[in-house]
Amino acid sequence: AGAPDDIQAAVRLYYAVRDRVVYDAYFVGEAPRFYRASDCLRAGKGFCVPKAALLAAAARAVGIPARVSYADVRNHLATKKLLELVRGGLFVWHGLTEFYLAGRWVKATPAFNLSLCERFGVRPLEFDGHHDSLFHAYDRAGRQHMEYVNDRGHYADVPYETILADFRRVYPRWLEFGTRGQAG
């Protein structure tokens, strides 16, 4: 509210989604609810795919053209537990958001909230509405954190069936762990 232009509105939305919606790599499953913007907002948590969808939906709600985009990334600082579940450091279909601002598409990754970054010693991603905000290249100690391996392109909406098919093939243990956890 009260943003003087689309750039400032996008920046405010970015920080709201980044920090008010907790990143939870274990809040996952096969059901569509784990990938939808509305369910991510309702739960107050989600992994990168629904958080990116939520940011795109929020931008569209205030009249800013937005879309979701995906890439495969290598996360060098993921927890041991998560690395065991996904069997390696490659994360396919990492979600981010693209805004159409000042005549061009600008990328922003709202996945990792401020408190999570502080806990893991990673600089939080900042977004100014003018420059891409893609990934945490290094943690505060200078160790490599994330790198982009493959760009999967942008979409008007979450390609749920395609993502789920790849997750089933690549991360069956992660999906099962998340589904079991959600069942109590």
Side-chain angles (χ1 to χ4, degrees):
D5 56 37
D6 284 354
I7 291 174
Q8 288 307 307
V11 169
R12 289 180 185 184
L13 288 171
Y14 169 81
Y15 285 105
V17 172
R18 185 194 79 177
D19 295 332
R20 292 186 190 168
V21 179
V22 175
Y23 176 78
D24 186 342
Y26 306 106
F27 192 70
V28 65
E30 294 191 16
R33 71 184 179 97
F34 293 108
Y35 302 83
R36 282 194 296 247
S38 57
D39 288 309
C40 180
L41 180 62
R42 190 173 7 267
K45 62 183 174 180
F47 66 108
C48 61
V49 171
K51 286 188 73 168
L54 175 57
L55 183 55
R60 290 173 182 166
V62 298
I64 300 170
R67 60 193 183 193
V68 288
S69 185
Y70 302 93
D72 299 340
V73 298
R74 192 163 304 285
N75 185 339
H76 297 279
L77 297 177
T79 64
K80 182 180 178 183
K81 177 180 176 180
L82 185 57
L83 290 173
E84 287 173 359
L85 287 171
V86 300
R87 293 200 169 134
L90 183 65
F91 293 83
V92 299
W93 292 99
H94 172 64
L96 55 136
T97 306
E98 295 183 16
F99 301 101
Y100 193 74
L101 300 168
R104 66 185 193 89
W105 290 100
V106 182
K107 297 177 181 181
T109 306
F112 306 122
N113 50 290
L114 180 60
S115 60
L116 180 75
C117 290
E118 289 172 346
R119 191 168 72 224
F120 283 94
V122 176
R123 288 182 184 92
L125 284 180
E126 305 299 339
F127 179 62
D128 64 7
H130 299 281
H131 303 93
D132 290 342
S133 177
L134 290 176
F135 63 96
H136 306 78
Y138 299 94
D139 70 1
R140 291 185 193 275
R143 296 173 299 182
Q144 188 175 19
H145 183 235
M146 290 185 78
E147 63 180 308
Y148 275 60
V149 177
N150 177 43
D151 185 346
R152 289 187 175 261
H154 53 265
Y155 300 80
D157 199 2
V158 176
Y160 166 73
E161 294 293 339
T162 305
I163 291 174
L164 186 58
D166 281 349
F167 281 4
R168 284 176 176 148
R169 181 178 51 79
V170 179
Y171 307 131
R173 294 180 68 221
W174 180 53
L175 286 175
E176 180 185 339
F177 180 87
T179 301
R180 271 197 334 256
Q182 305 321 308

